[in-house]
Amino acid sequence: MAAPVMDTCHVSCCANHTPNVVSWGRGGLIAFGTCNSVALYNPQVLIFTACAVCSGHSGPVCAVDAMSLSSSQLLVASASSDSSVKLWTCSSDTGKIGSMFIIKVIITSLAVPVLACGGDDSRVHLYVQLNGQFQRFLTLTGHEDWVRCVEWATKDGELWLASCSQDCLIRVWRLFAKTATEPDQQTDAVIKMKENVFQVSGDGEAGEFAVTLETVLAGHENWVYGIHWQPPCVKGDSVDQPLKLLSASMDKTMILWGPEEDSGMWVELVRVGEVGGNTLGFYGCQMSPDGFMILAHAFHGALHLWHCDSNQVRLWRPSVVISGHFNAVQDLSWDPEGEFIITVGSDQTTRLFTPWTRNGFDQRLLCLQITWHEISRPQIHGYDMQCLTMVGRFQFVSGADEKVLRVFKAPRNFVENFANISCTSLEKLLGCNDIADLPEGASTPALGLSNKAVFQGMNPLNSEDFNSLSDQYKESYFQPLKLTEPPTEDDLLQNTLWPEVQKLYGHGFEMFCLASDSERTVVASACKASKPEHAAILLWSTTSWKQLQSLPSHSLTVTQMAFSPNGCLLLAVSRDRTWSLWRRGNPDSDTEASFSLYANTSKDTAVHARIIWSCDWSSDSKYFVTSSRDKKVIIWGHCGSGVRVGECEGESVTPCSSVLDVGDSATAVSICPYLCSDKSYLLAVGLENGTIVLYKWRPSEDLFSGADWSRCGETDACQSHTLTVKRLRWRPRPGRAGHGGNEEQAWVQLASAGADHVVKIFNIKISAL
């Protein structure tokens, strides 16, 4: 079988905004729901997979559990907001129960399968399977608010059931078999908890069982959303179930509970959590199979991982874990050197990802331990982010659902930590810039949207004369970090912001797209528009940050823009189904850059019949490409001349390729900056269905046969996005970021952003295409 053309290098994502959406398997993999996918995660591998689809609920499914009935049969229980619980086998659903909103279900086996359901009636309902149908046999009361999670455990032939609730309490129940005979009179007075006795029939035999309340655990100060028993472990020929229970709460803490050895009283063994930031608490928790790592997922999807120190059992330390956007990723950009990417999303954040080179050698993968991680969150905003563009190695402009553009520049603390994590010389990163002139970091005032620079010696935590009202929230202020590994979620939220150095005003509606030229001297911006007067492109100087020019041409929103690599032309595509091409005036002039309309299509001459979503340039500036909702991809230029666009006076800009039909709405397109071995151009096309397709194109005089295009690869089901591909960007340098060596010239990297909340990076061996 031939090796895949595209190899997934990195996947960035986070858990859904849903309680108890994470599970830690006995094999060591962590599974979690992310948008429409299930992610399987370990320190080196991240894939997406879907095994089966069970359709039948009329509302969102909020809880799922399963148990094995036999070696070939699986029983699945699912709860939905349609106020029903469905039971499924491998072939069909076996029944339906419930007339209340069930929040969590958990299934286990006694003599027959037993199902526990917690719901909005503050009760835990127990069902057993009789004659193929589940029937309710017991209701456990005690909670005073919605029951958020229930979990079974089995120890020494007894079942232990834990339940947690919005009343901030955890209740632990014990279900056990009654002995054949019990004395009616006790010689000594014994205080016993009330027992609920019931009978269960299975395999032709009836047994008597009892349920009693073992303990009530109070320690959290807010709703308890998740609980999880420590997984059983194998000791010799037997399986031992430790009586340790992990809980997660909206108070931003996780607690590990267990009975004392001497008294048997349940006590708090370990408490971990997060401090500061503007986040809410935890939505669920899990424990690793060996019990030495615990995981929580937060309200906004972030994963929080702690590991137990092998030398000190009660000491738990934060660990590195993957992270990502929790809403659609709208745009991304590589830095000019191709060492990191910056992304923006509808989750109102800007995130920076880079390779982390660890010490040592991975024997399993036979390579250096290089993995991508988020190391900075430069902007945490109050509006959904839409676009960004780099205007320097450590400077970018971003736009959101507001009328303002914001400019950010990296602080000194980030540059130092980036050098440590990426194993890069600090002097090389700074160049001729003096590091002392950079601010130490940034912080956001209470109720503010602008990141304020923090310089050495002015940290409010150390300032005696800082007397603003924000002094009440000192935990949210910036504190310098000295990192040799990616930061934790807590640090990403409050200690990795970049200072905002400029605001740009001029647009009348929300920002939609941005672009900058190759010299990083001019920025082009466009906003949402329904009239021609609002659809004008604005040009800005990156030295003075003054508006240079307004370029009116389109009648509706400009969807994407791109400067030619030689910096002479600006290309724009629009919802009005046309493109426009603007040429820069004399580049040797001392005056500011001036652009004039060089070529464009109109409603009468347009080739695309629907919205043009994306555009890009070839590295030699001879051609540009457009992609549209009409499923067409077209390459344009001075057909047959072989010169760069704009340098052939008297020649019009026309299609230079046959019309490529990609079979679905083409929402993103990008041309690789390096030619294939046969001197053809390599293009990546992102589709509305989430697939990314690679094409090679070679100029040809025949524009009708389609022979100038050849399909050379595409993402498979596990590699593709599950929703629309929003943006594609090739790394501006050959090779794989974080790697070295002459053989790297054979590789290129492609980054993609999707509406499925995911950012992906692919390795492509261009020499093999």
Side-chain angles (χ1 to χ4, degrees):
M1 183 177 177
V5 173
M6 305 176 68
D7 175 50
T8 306
C9 164
H10 169 66
V11 178
S12 163
C13 59
C14 71
N16 281 339
H17 178 70
T18 305
N20 303 301
V21 74
V22 178
S23 180
W24 203 326
R26 295 182 182 180
L29 287 179
I30 298 171
F32 59 91
T34 175
C35 194
N36 293 358
S37 304
V38 175
L40 303 180
Y41 166 70
N42 67 32
Q44 273 78 36
V45 180
L46 177 62
I47 58 175
F48 293 88
T49 183
C51 298
V53 177
C54 300
S55 301
H57 285 292
S58 59
V61 177
C62 56
V64 176
D65 194 46
M67 66 169 290
S68 176
L69 297 178
S70 64
S71 59
S72 60
Q73 193 173 27
L74 188 71
L75 179 63
V76 178
S78 61
S80 168
S81 61
D82 62 8
S83 299
S84 71
V85 176
K86 280 184 173 287
L87 288 305
W88 314 79
T89 61
C90 291
S91 57
S92 63
D93 61 312
T94 63
K96 174 180 177 180
I97 59 176
S99 59
M100 71 203 77
F101 179 23
I102 299 298
I103 298 171
K104 182 65 189 290
V105 293
I106 190 76
I107 195 167
T108 188
S109 178
L110 198 58
V112 293
V114 180
L115 175 69
C117 302
D120 61 353
D121 61 351
S122 307
R123 300 178 180 182
V124 178
H125 304 275
L126 301 183
Y127 296 81
V128 295
Q129 189 179 34
L130 298 174
N131 301 321
Q133 297 293 322
F134 274 81
Q135 299 179 9
R136 182 163 60 187
F137 68 90
L138 194 61
T139 297
L140 305 177
T141 60
H143 285 297
E144 298 178 354
D145 208 333
W146 288 17
V147 178
R148 280 293 178 179
C149 189
V150 286
E151 285 282 332
W152 287 111
T154 304
K155 182 176 178 62
D156 300 331
E158 298 180 342
L159 294 180
W160 293 72
L161 176 65
S163 62
C164 64
S165 167
Q166 292 179 182
D167 61 9
C168 309
L169 300 177
I170 301 164
R171 304 177 80 86
V172 180
W173 316 79
R174 185 166 63 95
L175 192 155
F176 56 94
K178 296 282 288 184
T179 57
T181 59
E182 289 190 356
D184 294 333
Q185 301 292 330
Q186 298 286 348
T187 57
D188 298 322
V190 177
I191 298 177
K192 298 179 64 178
M193 298 294 292
K194 178 183 176 182
E195 294 180 352
N196 293 292
V197 181
F198 61 93
Q199 289 188 340
V200 173
S201 300
D203 297 329
E205 299 181 0
E208 191 174 48
F209 298 86
V211 177
T212 184
L213 178 64
E214 182 71 15
T215 186
V216 178
L217 305 176
H220 289 293
E221 299 176 354
N222 208 327
W223 295 359
V224 184
Y225 262 99
I227 47 177
H228 183 67
W229 292 100
Q230 179 174 336
C233 56
V234 178
K235 291 185 176 180
D237 296 331
S238 62
V239 177
D240 179 57
Q241 170 65 62
L243 281 184
K244 291 184 178 180
L245 180 67
L246 183 67
S247 61
S249 168
M250 292 298 285
D251 64 7
K252 300 185 183 181
T253 66
M254 284 199 300
I255 300 177
L256 185 61
W257 308 87
E260 289 184 325
E261 293 185 4
D262 297 333
S263 65
M265 180 179 296
W266 284 72
V267 295
E268 176 184 313
L269 303 176
V270 176
R271 181 188 289 258
V272 297
E274 299 292 345
V275 178
N278 58 354
T279 62
L280 297 176
F282 297 144
Y283 254 179
C285 57
Q286 291 284 296
M287 184 177 290
S288 65
D290 59 7
F292 285 96
M293 289 189 289
I294 55 178
L295 178 78
H297 65 100
F299 182 82
H300 283 149
L303 300 179
H304 300 255
L305 182 66
W306 287 268
H307 70 276
C308 180
D309 193 303
S310 57
N311 298 321
Q312 303 181 51
V313 179
R314 297 181 67 90
L315 180 61
W316 292 75
R317 302 180 186 276
S319 296
V320 176
V321 70
I322 63 169
S323 62
H325 291 275
F326 57 88
N327 210 329
V329 187
Q330 299 291 349
D331 201 359
L332 65 84
S333 181
W334 290 87
D335 83 288
E337 300 298 320
E339 296 302 324
F340 60 82
I341 61 172
I342 298 185
T343 61
V344 295
S346 298
D347 60 357
Q348 304 182 350
T349 66
T350 302
R351 301 173 186 242
L352 188 150
F353 301 87
T354 194
W356 174 37
T357 304
R358 282 168 279 183
N359 296 326
F361 190 80
D362 192 319
Q363 294 292 339
R364 185 177 65 84
L365 298 176
L366 299 178
C367 64
L368 290 173
Q369 299 184 55
I370 300 176
T371 53
W372 284 74
H373 294 271
E374 181 183 0
I375 67 166
S376 180
R377 204 163 294 172
Q379 184 182 11
I380 301 175
H381 205 32
Y383 295 95
D384 291 2
M385 303 300 301
Q386 288 294 334
C387 52
L388 87 157
T389 187
M390 298 295 296
V391 290
R393 184 73 196 276
F394 297 115
Q395 191 172 14
F396 70 89
V397 182
S398 69
D401 280 346
E402 58 176 344
K403 304 173 185 179
V404 184
L405 290 169
R406 299 174 187 265
V407 185
F408 296 86
K409 190 173 184 179
R412 180 177 65 171
N413 192 235
F414 166 79
V415 178
E416 293 172 340
N417 289 327
F418 175 73
N420 294 336
I421 294 172
S422 62
C423 299
T424 307
S425 167
L426 184 61
E427 291 73 20
K428 177 184 176 182
L429 291 177
L430 293 171
C432 60
N433 295 329
D434 187 0
I435 191 172
D437 294 335
L438 295 175
E440 185 78 8
S443 64
T444 304
L447 304 179
L449 293 176
S450 300
N451 297 348
K452 304 297 184 183
V454 175
F455 291 88
Q456 271 191 322
M458 64 170 289
N459 192 329
L461 281 173
N462 304 322
S463 177
E464 297 179 356
D465 57 356
F466 192 87
N467 55 10
S468 73
L469 292 177
S470 300
D471 202 28
Q472 304 172 46
Y473 308 100
K474 288 184 178 180
E475 71 276 3
S476 66
Y477 287 125
F478 165 78
Q479 299 180 36
L481 303 173
K482 188 173 182 179
L483 301 174
T484 56
E485 64 181 26
T488 63
E489 179 70 17
D490 194 24
D491 285 328
L492 284 170
L493 285 170
Q494 65 186 43
N495 295 322
T496 64
L497 292 171
W498 289 17
E500 182 182 309
V501 297
Q502 194 73 40
K503 291 185 181 72
L504 307 179
Y505 299 92
H507 288 286
F509 290 92
E510 296 87 347
M511 302 308 307
F512 198 84
C513 62
L514 283 165
S516 60
D517 66 346
S518 56
E519 297 298 322
R520 316 292 175 182
T521 59
V522 178
V523 169
S525 62
C527 70
K528 296 178 181 178
S530 57
K531 297 180 180 179
E533 55 265 33
H534 299 136
I537 300 167
L538 300 186
L539 300 183
W540 310 84
S541 167
T542 60
T543 54
S544 64
W545 293 116
K546 293 181 179 179
Q547 183 178 323
L548 300 177
Q549 202 173 354
S550 176
L551 308 178
S553 175
H554 295 283
S555 58
L556 295 174
T557 304
V558 173
T559 54
Q560 201 167 107
M561 299 177 290
F563 282 90
S564 61
N566 62 6
C568 296
L569 295 162
L570 171 63
L571 171 66
V573 294
S574 170
R575 286 182 177 271
D576 62 13
R577 309 175 186 181
T578 67
W579 55 259
S580 62
L581 197 59
W582 304 82
R583 184 163 62 175
R584 188 196 293 259
N586 184 6
D588 299 326
S589 174
D590 294 333
T591 59
E592 296 280 10
S594 176
F595 284 77
S596 59
L597 187 62
Y598 175 72
N600 70 313
T601 55
S602 64
K603 292 184 177 180
D604 297 329
T605 60
V607 178
H608 290 293
R610 304 292 298 276
I611 295 172
I612 305 178
W613 279 125
S614 186
C615 63
D616 197 20
W617 285 89
S618 64
S619 58
D620 53 16
S621 301
K622 294 180 179 179
Y623 306 99
F624 64 85
V625 62
T626 57
S627 67
S628 169
R629 183 180 282 177
D630 62 8
K631 309 178 184 179
K632 297 176 183 178
V633 175
I634 303 172
I635 290 181
W636 308 75
H638 298 307
C639 193
S641 66
V643 299
R644 291 183 291 188
V645 178
E647 295 184 355
C648 192
E649 295 298 335
E651 289 287 334
S652 59
V653 179
T654 59
C656 296
S657 72
S658 57
V659 176
L660 174 65
D661 189 335
V662 295
D664 195 17
S665 176
T667 54
V669 67
S670 187
I671 304 178
C672 180
Y674 301 96
L675 298 178
C676 298
S677 55
D678 59 358
K679 304 303 179 183
S680 59
Y681 295 90
L682 177 64
L683 289 83
V685 181
L687 307 181
E688 192 172 35
N689 62 18
T691 304
I692 301 172
V693 188
L694 297 181
Y695 290 93
K696 291 199 298 184
W697 175 78
R698 173 173 288 183
S700 171
E701 295 183 358
D702 183 4
L703 302 183
F704 301 98
S705 65
D708 52 339
W709 292 100
S710 60
R711 188 171 179 143
C712 55
E714 67 177 287
T715 52
D716 59 29
C718 290
Q719 294 175 315
S720 299
H721 291 274
T722 57
L723 293 176
T724 303
V725 179
K726 302 292 288 187
R727 190 68 151 143
L728 293 172
R729 288 285 187 111
W730 293 93
R731 185 172 185 247
R733 292 179 177 269
R736 295 167 292 181
H739 293 73
N742 295 329
E743 69 278 2
E744 286 301 310
Q745 298 297 318
W747 293 89
V748 291
Q749 283 187 313
L750 174 68
S752 66
D756 58 355
H757 314 177
V758 176
V759 175
K760 301 191 179 193
I761 299 177
F762 300 97
N763 294 331
I764 300 167
K765 198 165 188 178
I766 193 170
S767 61
L769 295 178

